[in-house]
Every structure is written in C-alpha cells, then in structure tokens.
Amino acid sequence: LSQAPKGKTSIKIMKKIIGNVLAKPHEGKYRKLNATKLVPKLTAENQNLAPIYILEHAGFVKQNDKYILKADADLQKMSSILAAIEQKLGGTTAAPVASQPATIGGVDTSGMTQKQIDALAWEMEKKRLEEVADKRKKERDARRAKEAAERKIREAKEAEERKAREAKEAEERVKREAEEKARREAEEAELAKNPQKMEEEEPEASVPEGSKGEVSAPVDMELDEASKKAEDKSNETETSEQQGIDVSTLPPKSSLDSKQGKKDGEVQCVNEDGKAMAYQWKNNQWNLLGEATGMKPKKSAAELDEEMKSIVSNIISGKGVLSTALKAKKKKSKKPANFAQMTLEEKHAYAKKEREKKARKLEKRREKNRQELGKAQAHLAEQNEWQKLKAAAAKKKKEEREARKARKRILAKMKRDRERKNREIAEQNKRLLAEQEERRRQGGYS
C-alpha cells in the first residue's frame, strides 16, 4: 500500500472487491473478476501495478482473462488487507471475519472449507431455482386451465347457436314443404273438378293480330331453330341426291402437272376421261381422292332475287317462314291411347307422374347449367392467373431490359471518361516533352 498511487480510485476499487468477498464469501460472482476491464482501471492513474500485486497477495490468481479467488483463500488475510486499505483511506478498521461467522441459509459455515461452502451455496441456489420453477409451473397450469374453461364456454355457446340455426332452418324447410304440399293438393283438386285442363303439350307460339311485322323473343328463337332444322334437312337432301356436274367446264388432268397446290389439303376437280375426278395436294404432289359427286351448280342472280322477293312477301303477309317455324315447333300429343277410358284416379296418377318427370328434367338441366357455370368460372380464374403471370413476366423482362440499358449507359459513360482522361494525359505528356525539348535546346545553345 506504500507503493500505491496518490489517487484513491484504485484503492476504492480494491476495497469494494475485498469487501464484497468478505461480506458474501459464497457468492461466485464476487470471486471472479474480469481482468480485461479491471487492470486498466487499477493502473489508469500512473501505470502503477501495486493494486494488482495486492489482489494477487489476497489470493486472486489470473487464469486467461479472469482473476479467480482460490478456494482455499485465507479470509483472515483478506480482512487484514481490508483493514489496511481503510486505514490508508482514513476510515475505521474492518472487524475480523472470525468474530462474525458467515451463514448460508441458516447454516453456520465457520468450520467448513471453501469447497464445502461452495457446494452448500450451490444446493441452496438449486433449491431456490426449483421453487421458482414450481411457481412458474403452477402459474402456467392455472393459466391453461383458465383458457380451457373459456374455450369450453365458447364452444358450448357456438353449439347452442348452431342448434338454434339448424332448428330455424328445419322449421323453414317444413314450412316450405307444407306450402308446396298445399299447392299440389290445390292443383289436384282443381284438376279433379275439370280434368280437361290437363296440359299434355307445350303451348304453341302465335303472332297477335296487327303486329305481323313484330316477332317476340321466343318466336325468334323458335324461328332460328326451325330455320336450322330446315337447313340441316336441305343439306342432307343435297348430300343424298346426286346432282349433275358440268364436266366440260373443268380443267383437264394434264393441268395438274404444271400446277402446284398452295397448301396441304387443297382439293382440285379435273376432267379425266369425261369424269369429274377430285385430287388433293399433299406431300408436294396431287393424290387421287375419287370421283366428285353431289356438286350443285350456283344459282343465278335472277333466281336469288326471285327467292328473296318470295321470302319478303311471305313475311309481310304473316305466312311462310314463320308458319313453318311454328309448325316445326308443334309437338305430338303424349296422351296414352286409352286416356278417354281412364278413371279419374288413373288420370290423377298419370298427371302426377308427368309432373315428376318434368321436375326431374328441369333439375337435370339446372345441374348441367351449374356444372357449365363452374367450368366457366374455373376457366376464367385460370385465364386471370395466366394473365397475371404473363404481366409479371413482362414486367420482369422490362425491368431486366431497363437494367441492361442502364448498365450499358454507365459503361459507355465510363468508357468516354476514360478516353477523355487518356487524351488529357497524352496531351499533358506531349506538352511536357515539348517543354523538356525546348529547355534542352536552350541549354545547348547557352
């Protein structure tokens, strides 16, 4: 202590270290010191190592970057060192350690070695940690139990709401079934009063008087269907009937030798020995298909004008195409042959069976429409996803292209700057060489 620095900072630090050890010798944190932080503080005043020697004299040993107090360190010596430090600082002397024996958890440690004291302290600490763990476990169990109780209450409430909703739906379903049953009974009662009202055919569309030029949407649909059927029938008739072909107007077969087809699948009819033969262009050559039949000559302009005039006159007079469509839409009666001899109960059963059949057909049609709608929605979703992916890919490609352009611009700018600097350096070197040559010339002349 006589070699200690004049300042009191290092002495106060030593007093604190030794005092903590003497107050709680079983605490491990007071028996380990960080040498990396401690040594600069103790030697900061005038680079004096006396405080380090005092700590080593008290029993601290340096291991790597730590100062560790030995297990068999003499606490009596540390007490005397503390008393000398306090005397140096002008304070009171510390009481001897033996006068106040240390205790750990109510156990006297005066006759124990430092190893026994450390073991006892570890047991006490382990017991404390176990108590803390038990307390936390109890708190966790209580919290989980509370959450489970709240969850059960919530599930019970949801079950009650679900039952109430199902009961309401069942009540509404029963009500609808009762209304439907009442409606069917009313229809059957009305049918029983007047059996002649039972409809076995679809109602025919008619054109009201005074509106011959106006056709409603259903009639338009029927007209389209009828025209399609008539067109299909005419096509079948044309296919089935062999029409005459004017072979003299066809080119000869020799014309195919100098003619090439424009694309695969092109068909050309030629005159071969007085017959109309069809050839197809495939694999860079004309292949024979067979004799051409069923070719119908085109109508002249006069025939087409006459046909159009007749169609317009029929439409104006309310006849012709429209009546044909309505006749094509008319269905045959589906009544059984013995319908007039059937009893009223049999007629009722027959009417009920027909209604059920119509309901099944309607349900099938609705199911088909739902399936088609689902397919359309899935296709639309796929199209949207594909459009999104395509847009993302295009955006990414655009960003990459912009990045490449920016990189090219930067490289071009760097190249221009480098060339400019090279030109400046070359000009500067040329100027310096000229000046040097001038000085050498002037020196030679002098």
Side-chain angles (χ1 to χ4, degrees), residues 191-203:
L191 184 62
K193 292 179 181 178
N194 192 359
Q196 300 297 330
K197 288 186 178 182
M198 187 175 62
E199 298 179 357
E200 296 297 330
E201 300 178 0
E202 293 290 335

Side-chain angles (χ1 to χ4, degrees), residues 289-325:
L289 295 178
E291 185 177 358
T293 58
M295 295 180 63
K296 185 177 181 180
K298 294 183 179 178
K299 294 182 180 180
S300 62
E303 292 177 351
L304 292 175
D305 292 341
E306 188 67 26
E307 186 177 354
M308 183 59 65
K309 287 179 182 179
S310 63
I311 292 173
V312 171
S313 62
N314 290 335
I315 291 175
I316 292 173
S317 61
K319 299 178 181 179
V321 178
L322 183 60
S323 60
T324 304

